[in-house]
Amino acid sequence: MCGIVGYIGEKNAVDIVLDGLKKLEYRGYDSSGIAVVKDGQLQIRRSVGKLKNLEENIEKKHLKANISIGHTRWATHGKPSEENAHPHTDPTKSIVIVHNGIIENYAELKSGLEKEGKEFKSETDSEVIAHLIKKHYKNNLLFAVQETLKEIKGSYALGVICKDEPDKIICARQDAPLIVGIGEGENFLASDIPALLSYTRDMIFLENGDIAELTANKITITDIENNVKKREVKNIKWDCVQAEKEGYKHFMLKEIHEQPRTIEDTFRGRIYPDEGRVYLEEVKLSKEDIKNISNVYIVACGTSYHSGLVSKFLFENFAKMHTEVDIASEFRYREPILNDRILVIVISQSGETADTLAALRLAKSKGCITLAVCNIVGSSMSREADHVLYTHCGPEICVASTKAFTGQIAALYMLALDWACRKESLSKEELKKYLKELWEVPVKVGNFLKQAESVHEVAKKFAHKRDFLYLGRNVNYPVALEGALKLKEISYIHAEGYAAGEMKHGPIALIDDDMPVVAIAVKSRVYKKIISNIEEAKARGGTIILIASESDKTALDKGDNVIYVPDCDEFISPILSVIPLQLLSYYVAVMLGCDVDQPRNLAKSVTVE
Ligand code: M6R
C-alpha cells in the first residue's frame, strides 16, 4: 500500500530516494517523507499531499547525504497529516523508521510505552516500532531491530536507520513486500520494483522473517534469531510499466490477485478465532447503543451497493437486525423515515461518491446514528460519519471495483458477527466457528486464483456473445448483480443480474441458444431451488456457466461449463463466488480489446450527482 525507498552509497541519497518515490506515485498516497543522517544528526522532512510539496520542503539543494529512507503513505491508522506521515522517530531522535503494513498489537505496545513515560507524536501504529527499537538499542541496530520484531505482531515492510550507525540501513519483511536492490558500492531498498529499475536490475526479494543489513558494499540477511539466510539474486527484465502492475497485464488483474492479501489485511488485528473475539477499534457503539437500534439502512452506489445487499443477509441472520438496502441516489430523493434509533451505514470505496455522501448528510440531519465503511482514510465520509470501519484494501486503481467489494463484505461480516455476539443472538461457540471460517477465506481465495486459467478457457468460448444473464439466489443474488455489472462496465456487453426465482416472471423469455446463463449454485439452503431454475433455463436452450462448490459431484450434469470454488459457509460464499465472475469479465474484455482499466464513460470516483 505505502511506498518505501532507501539508499546507501556514494551518491546523493536524497535525489535517489525522491526519484524512487516518484516511480511509486501511481499507487496513490496522501503524504510523504524522507530521513537522512547528516553530520551525525537525523534530519527528517515530511509533507502532506504531492511529492512536490516534500521536494519544496526539503530545499533539495541543501539536503545531501549518503544514506536515506523515504516513504509515501496511504493512511490506515490515523488521518493523512504531517504528524502521521512517515518517517517516525523515537523521542530522542536517534532511530528513524518507515513502515508499510499493520501492527496488530500496537495499542497494547503503545500503552506499555506510555506507562514508561514515552510520548507519542502521531496516531499511527508504526510509531511504536521506533520507540521499541530505541528501547532495545545498545550500540547494535541489527540486534535492536531483531528484539523489537519479537514483540511485534502483524505485517511489516520496514526500513530503519540510526544516527549513531550511519553506515547501514536495516530492513525487514513480514507479509508485506520488500526488495533489496544490488549496486556497485551502493545498495537500495524498495517496496516495489519500479522504484529501483533506473538504478539496478539485480534484486533480492526478501522473504517473510528476513532481516537485511545493507551497507554500501555488503548485504547480509538474517532472521530474528540472527541465523544467516541465503537468498537468490534475480535479474528483472520488466520495463517500468510492466513493473507497476507487478507483471500483470492490467491493474484489474493485479487487484483481483491481491484479494487474498487485502481480505487478510481487513481481518488483521480484528478477529481472533481461537478466543472468539472481534475487535473493531474504530466502531465505538456500546452494547446498549446496539440494542437500541431499531433498523439498519445500508446506502451505497454501484459495487458498494451490491456489497450492501450481501450485508443485509449478515445483519438479519446473525445480528437479527431489520435491515434495508438502498441506492444512494434513490434514498436521498424519497422521504425515508429516519430518526435517532436508526443506524445508517454508508459503504464507499472512495468515501467521496456524491450521492452516498449526500445520503450520509441527510441521515445526520435527521439525527440517525451513522457509520461509514470506507477504504480511504480521511475521506469525506470517514470524517463526517459518527463511526467508521475501514477496509484495508490499499489503493484500487482500476475503475472497475474488485478488491473493494470483497473487503467491504469482509468488514461488514466482522461487524455483524460482533454485534450478534453482543446482542447474544450468537453464542460464543458459534462465533468461534464463523470466525474460523472467515480466517480461512484468504487462503481459499488464493487457492482458487491458482486456477484462474480455467476461467480464461470459459471466457474464450463466450467472448463473442452480446447478451448474458446472471442468476443467483439469496446471499448470492447480489453476486449475480455484481457479475453482470463487471461484464457491462469493462466489456460493454449487455448483461442482467436476476434473482433466479424471478426468472419465470419475465426474463425467461429472453433465453434461447444464443444466451449464456451464468448461475451461482454453490452449496446453500437454496441450492435445490436454484438447480430447478437452471433446469428451466436449460430447457429453453440456454447455455449454462455454473459456479459450483468444489464438493458438488453432480455439478457437471447441471452446467455445460463448470467453475468450481472452494466450499465454505453459505454466508461467506459471496467472497468466493464473485472471484470467477471478476475474472470472466476481465478475460472477455481483454479478448474484445477493451480498455480494461479505464472503461469508456466511467470515472473511478463519481463526485458529481
Ligand atoms: O467509491 P464508491 O465505492 O462509493 O463507488 C461506488 C461506485 O461508483 C463504484 O462501485 C462503481 O460502480 C464501480 N465502477 C464498479 O466497478
Side-chain angles (χ1 to χ4, degrees), residues 305-366:
Y305 167 67
H306 297 154
S307 74
L309 290 172
V310 172
S311 308
K312 171 183 166 75
F313 287 85
L314 308 176
F315 281 99
E316 292 191 339
N317 270 280
F318 295 125
K320 307 292 176 212
M321 296 167 94
H322 176 80
T323 305
E324 291 195 28
V325 192
D326 228 329
I327 293 170
S329 54
E330 292 295 316
F331 178 84
R332 59 184 291 205
Y333 289 116
R334 59 187 178 80
E335 290 287 322
I337 297 161
L338 300 173
N339 59 50
D340 61 1
R341 290 194 57 207
I342 289 180
L343 167 71
V344 174
I345 301 179
V346 290
I347 308 177
S348 174
Q349 187 284 131
S350 60
E352 302 294 348
T353 301
D355 283 316
T356 315
L357 187 57
L360 169 65
R361 288 176 179 160
L362 172 68
K364 284 198 81 172
S365 74
K366 301 279 182 186

Side-chain angles (χ1 to χ4, degrees), residues 114-158:
E114 279 172 336
K115 279 188 197 128
E116 292 169 19
K118 303 289 181 304
E119 269 181 41
F120 281 76
K121 299 253 183 299
S122 77
E123 302 158 302
T124 66
D125 54 335
S126 309
E127 194 183 347
V128 293
I129 306 172
H131 283 253
L132 285 173
I133 296 173
K134 174 64 186 171
K135 190 173 160 184
H136 292 294
Y137 186 69
K138 292 184 186 71
N139 302 320
N140 183 340
L141 184 60
L142 174 63
F143 175 77
V145 172
Q146 286 166 331
E147 289 304 297
T148 298
L149 296 183
K150 288 178 188 166
E151 291 186 55
I152 282 175
K153 288 195 197 116
S155 60
Y156 47 80
L158 187 65

Side-chain angles (χ1 to χ4, degrees), residues 301-304 347-353 356 381 399-401 408 482 485-486 489 602-606:
C301 300
T303 290
S304 299
I347 308 177
S348 174
Q349 187 284 131
S350 60
E352 302 294 348
T353 301
T356 315
M381 285 179 225
V399 167
S401 190
Q408 288 162 352
E482 175 60 9
L485 173 63
K486 285 287 90 80
E489 69 180 323
L602 293 178
K604 181 67 187 158
S605 181
V606 185

Side-chain angles (χ1 to χ4, degrees), residues 32 160 240 351 373 400 444 492 527 549:
S32 58
V160 187
C240 227
V373 178
K444 288 183 179 176
Y492 322 137
Y527 174 74
S549 298

Side-chain angles (χ1 to χ4, degrees), residues 7-11 16 66 180-188 196 198-203 215-219 233 235:
Y7 173 83
I8 185 160
E10 296 278 292
K11 298 180 189 137
I16 292 171
N66 300 119
V180 171
I182 303 163
E184 282 186 23
E186 58 185 3
N187 284 311
F188 307 81
L196 303 186
S198 315
Y199 304 99
T200 179
R201 289 187 168 268
D202 290 333
M203 303 186 190
T215 65
N217 296 304
K218 200 171 170 207
I219 295 163
V233 177
N235 185 266

Side-chain angles (χ1 to χ4, degrees), residues 161-219:
I161 54 181
C162 169
K163 82 175 170 55
D164 300 320
E165 297 182 52
D167 60 338
K168 65 183 65 148
I169 302 176
I170 306 291
C171 52
R173 175 212 152 119
Q174 181 67 42
D175 291 337
L178 199 61
I179 301 155
V180 171
I182 303 163
E184 282 186 23
E186 58 185 3
N187 284 311
F188 307 81
L189 159 72
S191 54
D192 301 83
I193 296 169
L196 303 186
L197 280 180
S198 315
Y199 304 99
T200 179
R201 289 187 168 268
D202 290 333
M203 303 186 190
I204 297 172
F205 293 79
L206 294 183
E207 294 180 16
N208 277 345
D210 285 354
I211 303 168
E213 182 180 88
L214 315 187
T215 65
N217 296 304
K218 200 171 170 207
I219 295 163

